[in-house]
Amino acid sequence: MPIEILMPALSPTMEEGTLAKWLVKEGDTVSSGDLLAEIETDKATMEFEAVDEGVIGKIMVEEGSEGVKVNTVIAVLLEDGESADDLGSAKAAPKADAPKEDAKEAPQAKAAEAAAPEVAAPAAPKGDDGKRIFASPLARRIAADKGVDLAQVSGSGPHGRIVKADVEGLSASDTPKAAASKPAEASDAPKAAMATGPSASAVAKMYEGRDYTEVKLDGMRKTIAARMTEAKQTVPHFYLRRDIQLDELLAFRATLNKQLEGRGVKLSVNDFIIKACANALQQVPDANAVWAGDRILKLTPSDVAVAVAIEGGLFTPVLQDAHHKSLSALSAQMKDLAGRARDRKLAPHEYQGGSFAISNLGMFGIDNFDAVINPPHGAILAVGAGVKKPVVGKDGELAVATVMSVTLSVDHRVIDGALGAELLNAIKDNLENPMAMLA
């Protein structure tokens, strides 16, 4: 039976994407692991691999197509012994929703619809938690025929996808279905709808007669809009602010950069901020946490995300185990991640996860600002510019110091006020005593 190749979900949040480029053509023979296409998600351009082997019988979605929904059939793969004659129902699929052009075509359409169940794979299954289970069309068909519950099967394909080899030796008795929990689900209280602004047509009507340029939203901008709206409507933010004196750090940085000059290493203030936050999450472990719906997850490592501005949006690549890394290692990794972020070449695992984020606008001369938490993170640090200011010294004398203002935005579901203050004080102490961070 022909195998439907579906638009993949290349990240947990992906709902649609752009089929940027086909790397195969009709008639090409492919094996598992061969590259089929380049797909643009809301964050990056990624290569899509074949899971099954066969011959590309029909390309259903042209390259350059935007807004292709996940699970849409993008191509059909012929297995050994099959030919183009087996593609009848697959060819008819795109016309299923089209209006009838001729009454004479109706019997053919009905015949195609009748034949479709014989070759179409079952819909993508979902686990007990409602999340989609990734399985190839052939694996889904075999599982449906045998009564195998895919939620109980571990996939051996790319990114844990379930493939033919994972299910062909199984039977229904090997994968007992978990007890259904429909009554419990039915009793859940309905969720209140999020508030929305005026419609696009209503806004356009306000500006009738005025010159403007309409900018189409790309996938990244749509995702940023959705995520930030979700964050401000569902995350109970509160804000903590401190001024941090940087003179000792700046002097220490200058000394280190002079010593590291021969190795081509140049540390930035941001590298010290990353290290200070990573260490602070170890010093205040209860604050190294994320919100997980009905529970809090406390992380052991310090995985710190850093906002990187790119054309048309931003990424937040994550530096994992930042507390274990030297300043020079953090600097090199941050430069690499930032460079690939601007080229939109980051893989999903490089910008997902983490418990804490940093957003630094100091290089733009911004004194201070409040950053929006990126769920499920517990907090985000907004960093302003270092500015010369008059300060009162420990001896009571007036002096001039380089002062940086920071604001910690905190999710009150995860971190309470006193715990947030403890975390921010640890960050401040680390930055004002930079040599201690290396101990």
Side-chain angles (χ1 to χ4, degrees), residues 340-362:
R340 289 191 290 116
R342 295 185 183 101
D343 293 334
R344 300 198 180 197
K345 294 296 184 183
L346 291 179
H349 72 271
E350 293 178 306
Y351 56 79
Q352 293 172 352
S355 65
F356 183 94
I358 298 167
S359 180
N360 189 344
L361 294 179

Side-chain angles (χ1 to χ4, degrees), residues 78-425:
L78 298 174
E79 294 186 285
D80 188 32
E82 295 178 334
S83 67
D85 295 336
D86 299 302
L87 291 172
S89 58
K91 288 181 179 178
K95 298 180 182 177
D97 296 329
K100 295 178 182 178
E101 295 180 3
D102 194 310
K104 293 180 180 179
E105 295 179 2
Q108 295 177 356
K110 289 180 180 178
E113 289 171 6
E118 296 178 10
V119 298
K126 293 184 178 181
D128 296 331
D129 57 1
K131 293 184 178 179
R132 179 181 171 226
I133 297 171
F134 294 95
S136 72
L138 182 57
R140 295 205 303 273
R141 279 197 293 271
I142 294 172
D145 291 343
K146 295 186 173 187
V148 170
D149 180 13
L150 288 177
Q152 310 299 320
V153 179
S154 298
S156 61
H159 309 293
R161 196 180 193 202
I162 299 170
V163 295
K164 174 182 175 183
D166 299 321
V167 294
E168 53 185 359
L170 298 177
S171 64
S173 60
D174 295 324
T175 57
K177 263 194 178 290
S181 56
K182 296 295 181 184
E185 292 173 6
S187 65
D188 289 341
K191 293 182 179 179
M194 288 189 182
T196 58
S199 66
S201 57
V203 174
K205 193 172 182 179
M206 294 179 198
Y207 295 93
E208 281 182 350
R210 307 306 302 163
D211 288 338
Y212 63 81
T213 301
E214 185 173 303
V215 179
K216 183 180 178 183
L217 299 182
D218 61 11
M220 175 173 285
R221 182 50 53 186
K222 288 178 183 177
T223 299
I224 292 172
R227 295 276 289 163
M228 294 299 97
T229 301
E230 174 196 357
K232 290 300 288 185
Q233 290 187 338
T234 65
V235 177
H237 290 61
F238 71 92
Y239 307 94
L240 302 172
R241 312 180 201 281
R242 290 300 303 261
D243 285 341
I244 299 173
Q245 294 188 27
L246 293 180
D247 295 282
E248 192 170 332
L249 184 150
L250 294 174
F252 184 49
R253 170 177 171 260
T255 300
L256 283 179
N257 279 339
K258 190 172 182 179
Q259 295 173 347
L260 295 170
E261 194 172 3
R263 289 166 47 188
V265 176
K266 186 175 182 180
L267 303 175
S268 68
V269 172
N270 210 49
D271 298 330
F272 283 88
I273 294 171
I274 295 169
K275 184 67 173 176
C277 292
N279 286 4
L281 290 171
Q282 296 298 306
Q283 294 161 344
V284 189
D286 286 344
N288 188 16
V290 298
W291 180 253
D294 62 350
R295 68 202 68 187
I296 293 171
L297 304 183
K298 290 185 178 180
L299 276 69
T300 301
S302 292
D303 296 344
V304 179
V306 181
V308 175
I310 67 169
E311 185 177 354
L314 78 160
F315 274 99
T316 51
V318 179
L319 294 97
Q320 295 185 339
D321 301 304
H323 59 298
H324 285 320
K325 294 174 180 172
S326 66
L327 285 165
S328 59
L330 287 173
S331 180
Q333 186 180 9
M334 191 65 235
K335 287 183 175 70
D336 171 61
L337 290 171
R340 289 191 290 116
R342 295 185 183 101
D343 293 334
R344 300 198 180 197
K345 294 296 184 183
L346 291 179
H349 72 271
E350 293 178 306
Y351 56 79
Q352 293 172 352
S355 65
F356 183 94
I358 298 167
S359 180
N360 189 344
L361 294 179
M363 66 286 292
F364 298 106
I366 302 300
D367 288 332
N368 54 67
F369 67 102
D370 298 341
V372 180
I373 294 170
N374 186 25
H377 291 175
I380 182 171
L381 185 72
V383 180
V387 180
K388 294 284 187 183
K389 290 183 179 181
V391 297
V392 178
K394 293 179 181 179
D395 57 1
E397 295 293 323
L398 194 63
V400 176
T402 304
V403 179
M404 178 178 73
S405 175
V406 299
T407 301
L408 187 68
S409 303
V410 186
D411 183 344
H412 214 320
R413 299 171 302 179
V414 182
I415 301 172
D416 291 326
L419 183 60
E422 188 180 352
L423 176 63
L424 185 53
N425 286 338

